Amino acid sequence: MESSIWLWVGFNLFVLALLAFDLGVLHRKEREIKVGEALWLSLFYVVLALLFGAGLFWLRGTQDGVDFLTGYLIEKSLSVDNIFVIVLIFTYFSVPAQYQHRVLFWGILGALFMRGILIFAGVQLIHEFAWMALLFGAFLIVTGIKMLIVADQKPDLENNIVLRAVRRRFRLTEAFHGKHFFVRQNGLLYATPLFLVLMMIEFTDLVFAVDSIPAIIAITTDPFIVYTSNVFAILGLRALYFALAGIVPRFIYLKYALSLVLVVIGFKMIANYFYGGKFVPTELALLITVVLIGGSIVLSLIRTRGMAPEPQALPTGWVPGSPVKEAADNPARTGEE
């Protein structure tokens, strides 16, 4: 028990050290993150996760190692959906490139905190009430089908519930004020559009976490593996965004693959509840995820090869809190009313 506590403490201290190094050393000054730098940083986080997985294989056995790698791949794949939404939000509000990393950094901190709470709550529910696996599985299937249906539809960000709620409760400046989330004008405190963007990204991750955490719980109910696979996927999200933001519109089939992954994991969860914990083995879920995600990326790149990108092209699909846009497209805009 004592060694387990120190394992948790040590891992979280390591994560905090990584975040401090990122903000305090690598990105101490506000600047635009170049694609080359983002690719190297993304590779660093992937290698770090693989080394951690190798450590689990060595210290805790094959099953825990496979569970971690499967969970990490699923969470990493689902985090790409976050990138679609982040690209859309940043473009819609015309967030300056040099401030995007700051928004994502604080967004990641909030995501880690929220996901930690949801993970422990979800694992506890499964341990106390085994039949919750049926609800989680059904939820994943319904969510996957919903994402599949709206994959080509354009969201109406102007009527997003978070945007409307923040506008009702805060005074908002009409323009960005550098890196600041809040500024004082005439003795009054105002939120800037950067704060509005941060709130929308935090809400998006909270909703996506409700989808992705049951997906990893379908693989394992070990809270340490569920938590660490989530953390490694989230830590690499910022670098992955800056690496892929420019080519996200080319991944035309990826949303369909992500939807199908949720459906497959949902069926796995239900089948294993009725027919035994290993009726659908984790290795099979890992293989299906690799084939769906890898195949969709390859097919997307082949299909869009040589196609000129559309100016101001935005990703389509589901954005939490936003209804489907019915009117003609509106150009990207800033955060003013």
Side-chain angles (χ1 to χ4, degrees):
M1 180 64 178
E2 185 177 349
S3 62
S4 177
I5 292 175
W6 281 111
L7 190 63
W8 281 94
V9 171
F11 179 78
N12 282 291
L13 287 176
F14 174 69
V15 171
L16 290 175
L18 275 178
L19 291 173
F21 179 74
D22 188 315
L23 187 64
V25 179
L26 294 181
H27 304 105
R28 185 164 52 89
K29 297 181 179 180
E30 309 296 337
R31 60 183 176 83
E32 182 179 355
I33 308 300
K34 301 298 184 182
V35 173
E37 177 187 351
L39 286 171
W40 280 110
L41 193 57
S42 185
L43 178 62
F44 167 75
Y45 280 116
V46 170
V47 171
L48 205 59
L50 294 178
L51 289 174
F52 184 83
L56 287 178
F57 271 100
W58 180 44
L59 296 173
R60 299 183 59 170
T62 301
Q63 189 59 56
D64 281 354
V66 171
D67 287 346
F68 171 81
L69 290 179
T70 305
Y72 172 71
L73 179 61
I74 289 173
E75 295 299 327
K76 192 74 171 175
S77 301
L78 294 177
S79 72
V80 176
D81 215 20
N82 291 58
I83 293 176
F84 280 97
V85 177
I86 292 169
V87 169
L88 201 155
I89 293 173
F90 279 172
T91 305
Y92 183 82
F93 288 98
S94 301
V95 179
Q98 65 267 32
Y99 305 133
Q100 292 179 5
H101 181 272
R102 176 176 173 82
V103 174
L104 291 180
F105 178 86
W106 291 108
I108 292 302
L109 283 182
L112 290 173
F113 176 75
M114 291 186 295
R115 286 182 180 238
I117 294 174
L118 291 173
I119 285 168
F120 287 108
V123 170
Q124 191 63 31
L125 282 173
I126 288 290
H127 284 161
E128 293 292 331
F129 309 103
W131 52 267
M132 287 295 296
L134 296 177
L135 293 183
F136 284 166
F139 177 76
L140 289 174
I141 293 171
V142 171
T143 301
I145 293 174
K146 177 183 178 181
M147 289 173 60
L148 202 59
I149 292 173
V150 302
D152 291 324
Q153 296 179 344
K154 296 182 178 180
D156 182 6
L157 284 183
E158 181 62 29
N159 290 307
N160 182 277
I161 59 173
V162 175
L163 186 151
R164 292 164 61 186
V166 172
R167 282 176 170 169
R168 283 197 304 268
R169 290 166 174 78
F170 292 88
R171 301 182 188 91
L172 284 172
T173 62
E174 294 186 355
F176 292 96
H177 286 257
K179 65 180 183 179
H180 301 293
F181 294 118
F182 292 94
V183 294
R184 284 197 176 275
Q185 294 183 347
N186 301 320
L188 298 175
L189 188 65
Y190 283 77
T192 69
L194 207 63
F195 174 75
L196 185 58
V197 170
L198 176 63
M199 290 299 97
M200 292 187 69
I201 289 178
E202 291 284 16
F203 179 73
T204 295
D205 186 77
L206 175 62
V207 175
F208 281 160
V210 175
D211 298 333
S212 66
I213 288 173
I216 177 61
I217 290 177
I219 303 301
T220 177
T221 56
D222 184 324
F224 186 71
I225 294 178
V226 175
Y227 178 71
T228 53
S229 61
N230 256 271
V231 168
F232 276 114
I234 291 298
L235 283 176
L237 179 61
R238 288 163 302 148
L240 194 62
Y241 162 76
F242 289 110
L244 299 182
I247 61 171
V248 157
R250 291 190 61 185
F251 296 148
I252 57 176
Y253 299 127
L254 185 56
K255 282 183 175 290
Y256 303 103
L258 294 172
S259 303
L260 292 176
V261 166
L262 287 180
V263 173
V264 168
I265 298 301
F267 276 116
K268 173 189 184 300
M269 206 168 193
I270 293 174
N272 284 355
Y273 175 81
F274 282 115
Y275 300 106
K278 296 299 179 182
F279 181 76
V280 180
T282 299
E283 292 81 1
L284 179 59
L286 175 61
L287 176 62
I288 292 174
T289 302
V290 169
V291 170
L292 285 173
I293 300 301
S296 70
I297 291 175
V298 172
L299 289 176
S300 295
L301 294 177
I302 293 174
R303 178 69 177 81
T304 59
R305 184 175 52 188
M307 294 175 59
E310 297 180 17
Q312 296 293 331
L314 294 177
T316 57
W318 178 50
V319 174
S322 296
V324 174
K325 181 181 289 189
E326 297 179 357
D329 294 344
N330 293 320
R333 50 173 290 173
T334 58
E336 69 266 25
E337 285 276 68

